[in-house]
């Protein structure tokens, strides 16, 4: 039976670049989740004939939220839902299911790389028919609806059993429960040479994959251990848990330190990789060697011809403004277009759909290609394994050869977390007003050549986006400031530093950017305004 329930609107349901993310207990407030889902349905309009994909990363509240979403979809007249078995579906796998089935979009319930559990975070990623993030014009309409919603519709029924692969119904709505892993594996087999990868593991090559107790554990076991023949136990933290087993599922040097420590020990494997909560981010490690996401993107772009799916060429590449210029140097020497976009995967989607790019990535451990409209963690790891299989070289050798060929960008990101939102906003506003006066100013060996907001003119839809503030120096070094939209509380100021070098390729990264860090903190008056003398997280 369909019921219409009265509700009171919440005014804090504005989607960021990764959807709506809040503390789990905020999401669990009466009607909070329901209000947001109903606002999406209201924005879409007529739901008859519509088909959506539903899944999540298994974090706390996932099971309850999916049942609510299913019942609301039925009440709002949705024709069909395609749901991952037991409610599991990684973000890249979900994007593929949307594209493969020509659906009208989908819902992946995840806060991505944010911590889980009752005291952690919860999120909702709403994708359109491309399988990627909705445009700002759509998310703005959803937000306006959240501020005035007064009722929502829900089908009153028992919960749907999602444990069995089958097709069932709720009212007039069809529900197809699918193997969460099968379609994704088939897609990876169509992109990469799995026979070559099997030979790599038969040769004695070893790896460790850390799923961080998140959604990609089952995907990784199926691909790496069962199909490619990696040893049993290659995949660690393989069971998705509501609180990720206490791990913070963000694959970087801080939150995946246990994997880093292992790879810098005498027991290290030849290769290691990790994914985040919903499987769209990746970290790449060799024996006692870490590959920055910026370098990883550049290396993928330089070796695309080794991958069967790209052997006939690629359209171009793209990076976020905060990502280092390494991939642009590769593109220039290989006569490939290179686009620089704001943070947010939706900007890449426009370029993919218009056949301007094939490969893209962000400094925040995300890379992908036009096989889907999201970043893809396991895809990136299979790409790296394919390069290793084709060249016979180690992770470190592959990376150092790239530096010798194109130069090295010494690059680091410094996150100042938990800032008062008003303080952070004023810091950025005052800094933007200050930028014009910086041009020509000298800070020791660093002379400012240009200082301005980053402005992106989308070549596809003509939209204009301002995202972050950039200080360029005459020696090609760069400081980028940006407020993050992926946190669930407070504000995070991210400061990105880049110093390209073409001769000194073996220096310590922090040592090479330490002067830039002092300049960045001085220009923005970070200590004075926030009270912080150092960043909370360095990556």
């Amino acid at each position: 039976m369909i019921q219409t329930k009265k509700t009171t609107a919440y005014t804090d349901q504005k989607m960021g670049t990764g959807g709506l993310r809040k503390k789990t207990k905020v999401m669990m407030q009466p009607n909070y989740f329901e209000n947001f889902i109903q606002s999406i349905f209201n924005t879409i309009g007529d739901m008859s004939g519509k088909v959506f994909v539903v899944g999540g990363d298994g974090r706390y509240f996932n099971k309850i939220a999916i049942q609510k979403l299913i019942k609301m979809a039925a009440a709002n007249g949705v024709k069909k839902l395609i749901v991952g078995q037991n409610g599991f579906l990684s973000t890249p796998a979900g994007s593929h299911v949307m594209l493969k089935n020509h659906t009208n979009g989908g819902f992946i319930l995840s806060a991505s790389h944010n911590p889980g559990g009752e005291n952690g975070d919860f999120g909702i990623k709403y994708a359109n028919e491309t399988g990627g993030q909705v445009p700002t014009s759509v998310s703005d309409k959803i937000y306006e609806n959240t501020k005035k919603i007064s009722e929502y519709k829900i089908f009153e029924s028992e919960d749907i059993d999602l444990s069995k692969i089958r097709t069932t119904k709720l009212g007039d709505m069809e529900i197809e429960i699918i193997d969460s892993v099968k379609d994704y594996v088939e897609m990876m087999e169509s992109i990469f040479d799995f026979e070559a990868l099997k030979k790599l593991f038969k040769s004695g090559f070893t790896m460790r994959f850390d799923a961080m107790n998140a959604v990609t554990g089952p995907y990784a076991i199926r691909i790496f251990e069962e199909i490619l023949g990696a040893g049993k136990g290659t995949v660690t933290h393989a069971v998705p848990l509501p609180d990720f087993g206490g791990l913070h599922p963000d694959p970087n040097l801080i939150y995946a330190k246990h994997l880093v420590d292992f790879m810098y020990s005498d027991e290290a494997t030849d290769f290691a990789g990790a994914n985040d909560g919903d499987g769209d981010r990746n970290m790449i490690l060799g024996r006692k060697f870490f590959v920055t996401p910026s370098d990883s993107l550049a290396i993928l772009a330089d070796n695309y011809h080794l991958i069967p799916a790209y052997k006939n060429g690629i359209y171009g590449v793209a990076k976020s403004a905060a990502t280092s210029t390494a991939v642009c140097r590769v593109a220039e020497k290989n006569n490939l277009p290179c686009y620089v976009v704001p943070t947010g995967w939706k900007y890449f989607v426009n370029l993919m759909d218009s056949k301007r790019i094939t490969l893209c990535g962000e400094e925040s451990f995300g890379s992908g290609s036009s096989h889907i409209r999201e970043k893809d963690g396991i895809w990136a790891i299979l790409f790296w394994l394919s390069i290793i299989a084709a060249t016979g070289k180690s992770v470190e050798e592959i990376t150092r050869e790239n530096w010798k060929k194109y130069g090295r960008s010494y690059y680091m990101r410094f996150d100042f977390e938990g800032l008062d939102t008003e303080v952070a906003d004023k810091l950025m506003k005052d800094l933007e007003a200050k930028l014009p006066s910086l041009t020509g100013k000298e800070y020791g060996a660093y002379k400012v050549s240009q200082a301005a907001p980053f402005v992106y003119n989308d070549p596809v839809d003509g939209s204009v986006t301002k995202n972050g503030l950039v200080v360029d120096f005459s020696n090609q070094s760069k400081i980028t400031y940006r407020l993050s939209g992926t946190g669930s509380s407070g504000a995070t100021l991210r400061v990105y530093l880049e110093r390209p070098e073409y001769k000194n390729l073996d220096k310590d990264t922090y040592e090479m950017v330490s002067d830039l860090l002092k300049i960045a903190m001085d220009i923005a008056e970070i200590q004075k305004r926030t009270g912080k003398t150092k960043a909370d997280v360095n990556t």
Side-chain angles (χ1 to χ4, degrees):
M1 182 176 67
I2 297 174
Q3 288 195 359
T4 300
K5 296 193 174 185
K6 298 294 182 182
T7 186
T8 301
Y10 292 89
T11 58
D12 62 340
Q13 296 187 321
K14 187 173 180 64
M15 294 172 66
T17 57
L20 179 68
R21 294 181 192 170
K22 297 291 178 181
K23 289 295 182 184
T24 305
K25 289 182 178 178
V26 171
M27 282 283 190
M28 293 173 67
Q29 292 179 91
N31 302 330
Y32 193 94
F33 177 84
E34 293 89 336
N35 280 10
F36 187 69
I37 298 300
Q38 186 65 55
S39 294
I40 294 175
F41 289 154
N42 291 347
T43 302
I44 295 171
D46 183 12
M47 305 296 288
S48 59
K50 296 289 194 299
V51 180
F52 296 97
V53 173
V54 176
D57 63 10
R59 67 179 60 224
Y60 190 90
F61 188 55
N62 200 89
K63 291 182 179 180
I64 295 172
I66 284 181
Q67 293 292 341
K68 288 176 182 285
L69 201 161
I70 291 172
K71 294 171 187 177
M72 290 184 68
N76 278 274
V78 172
K79 177 184 178 182
K80 179 180 178 179
L81 293 182
I82 302 173
V83 185
Q85 187 178 16
N86 294 313
F88 288 108
L89 206 58
S90 74
T91 289
S95 181
H96 173 57
V97 173
M98 292 175 215
L99 284 171
K100 179 182 177 181
N101 293 278
H102 306 288
T103 69
N104 300 101
F107 301 83
I108 301 298
L109 305 186
S110 171
S112 189
H113 55 287
N114 292 17
E118 186 175 6
N119 296 312
D121 297 340
F122 193 85
I124 306 164
K125 292 184 174 184
Y126 166 55
N128 61 15
E129 66 277 1
T130 69
Q133 296 176 8
V134 296
T136 303
S137 58
V138 175
S139 61
D140 286 347
K141 289 179 182 177
I142 295 170
Y143 178 51
E144 289 304 313
N145 202 285
T146 66
K147 295 190 291 184
K148 61 185 180 184
I149 188 172
S150 61
E151 61 184 29
Y152 65 89
K153 296 178 181 178
I154 192 165
F155 200 103
E156 290 295 322
S157 72
E158 295 293 320
D159 286 352
I160 302 298
D161 181 3
L162 302 178
S163 65
K164 299 176 182 177
I165 296 172
R166 63 191 176 109
T167 297
T168 186
K169 296 196 79 173
L170 179 59
D172 294 328
M173 184 180 74
E174 181 181 338
I175 303 171
E176 181 183 0
I177 303 165
I178 64 169
D179 183 331
S180 303
V181 178
K182 180 176 178 291
D183 287 341
Y184 181 82
V185 171
E186 290 175 354
M187 176 176 59
M188 292 298 105
E189 289 176 322
S190 73
I191 296 172
F192 301 101
D193 184 348
F194 270 37
E195 291 306 313
L197 295 178
K198 289 177 184 178
K199 290 179 182 178
L200 176 66
F201 285 106
K202 281 183 180 178
S203 73
F205 180 84
T206 59
M207 73 172 279
R208 173 168 288 193
F209 178 90
D210 196 325
M212 301 190 82
N213 292 323
V215 75
T216 58
Y219 295 84
I221 288 176
R222 182 86 61 90
I223 292 172
F224 298 121
E225 295 187 13
E226 295 177 4
I227 297 177
L228 297 181
K232 189 175 182 180
T234 291
V235 181
T236 61
H237 298 119
V239 179
L241 299 174
D243 65 348
F244 304 122
L247 295 177
H248 185 149
D250 193 353
N252 61 40
L253 296 172
I254 303 300
Y255 297 123
K257 187 177 182 299
H258 56 280
L259 182 61
V260 177
D261 289 345
F262 169 76
M263 289 303 292
Y264 278 77
S265 73
D266 293 337
E267 289 76 36
T269 50
D270 296 312
F271 175 90
N275 283 174
D276 70 333
D278 64 330
D280 62 0
R281 297 187 179 205
N282 72 89
M283 179 169 69
I284 304 297
L285 295 158
R287 290 182 185 269
K288 299 183 179 179
F289 195 84
F290 165 67
V291 183
T292 71
S294 295
D295 281 342
S296 180
L297 176 60
I299 290 164
L300 301 188
D302 194 38
N303 291 277
Y304 72 82
H305 58 281
L306 300 177
I307 309 303
Y310 314 127
K311 64 182 178 181
N312 293 326
I314 60 176
Y315 292 117
V317 299
K319 75 176 192 74
S320 67
T323 302
S324 91
T325 56
V327 72
C328 294
R329 296 195 295 273
V330 171
E332 183 180 5
K333 285 194 176 183
N334 289 277
N335 296 314
L336 290 169
C338 183
Y339 295 84
V340 181
V341 307
T343 297
W345 210 258
K346 59 189 173 185
Y347 300 103
F348 293 131
V349 171
N350 269 356
L351 297 171
M352 291 176 187
D353 288 343
S354 61
K355 296 186 178 180
R356 284 173 166 84
I357 66 166
T358 303
L359 305 178
C360 55
E362 300 174 327
E363 55 73 36
S364 53
F365 293 79
S367 49
S369 83
S370 54
H371 66 288
I372 56 171
R373 297 300 182 265
E374 283 282 0
K375 43 189 176 278
D376 191 342
I378 287 180
W379 167 88
I381 288 169
L382 287 169
F383 202 137
W384 263 95
L385 291 174
S386 299
I387 297 171
I388 293 168
T391 63
K393 296 173 181 175
S394 70
V395 171
E396 181 175 355
E397 288 171 334
I398 291 166
T399 305
R400 290 192 180 279
E401 284 189 9
N402 184 271
W403 292 344
K404 290 177 182 177
K405 190 174 179 182
Y406 300 103
R408 177 182 182 183
S409 283
Y410 288 96
Y411 178 93
M412 287 189 74
R413 187 182 92 188
F414 297 83
D415 292 356
F416 298 84
E417 299 179 335
L419 304 181
D420 180 272
T421 302
E422 290 186 6
V423 170
D425 286 342
K426 187 170 184 353
L427 183 153
M428 290 295 284
K429 182 179 179 180
D430 291 347
L431 178 56
E432 182 175 349
K434 182 180 183 180
L435 291 181
S437 66
L438 296 178
T439 301
K441 192 169 183 178
E442 295 185 11
Y443 297 86
Y446 294 86
K447 182 178 181 180
V448 179
S449 58
Q450 180 178 321
F454 172 72
V455 179
Y456 178 64
N457 296 285
D458 196 303
V460 181
D461 60 22
S463 63
V464 179
T465 304
K466 187 168 72 172
N467 185 271
L469 307 174
V470 183
V471 180
D472 288 303
F473 297 90
S474 56
N475 64 355
Q476 297 183 303
S477 295
K478 183 189 299 285
I479 300 171
T480 303
Y481 302 89
R482 189 178 71 85
L483 288 184
S484 171
T486 60
S488 61
S489 61
T492 297
L493 172 65
R494 303 199 194 281
V495 180
Y496 310 84
L497 308 177
E498 177 181 5
R499 177 178 169 178
E501 287 285 339
Y502 300 90
K503 294 182 179 179
N504 298 316
L505 305 179
D506 298 308
K507 301 291 185 179
D508 175 74
T509 299
Y510 184 81
E511 178 185 331
M512 293 296 282
V513 302
S514 59
D515 287 345
L516 266 181
L517 178 60
K518 293 175 183 176
I519 296 168
M521 293 190 68
D522 177 54
I523 289 174
E525 301 177 350
I526 291 175
Q527 182 176 347
K528 176 182 176 181
R529 290 171 178 267
T530 71
K532 291 182 179 287
T533 59
K534 62 180 181 178
D536 298 281
V537 178
N538 306 340
T539 52

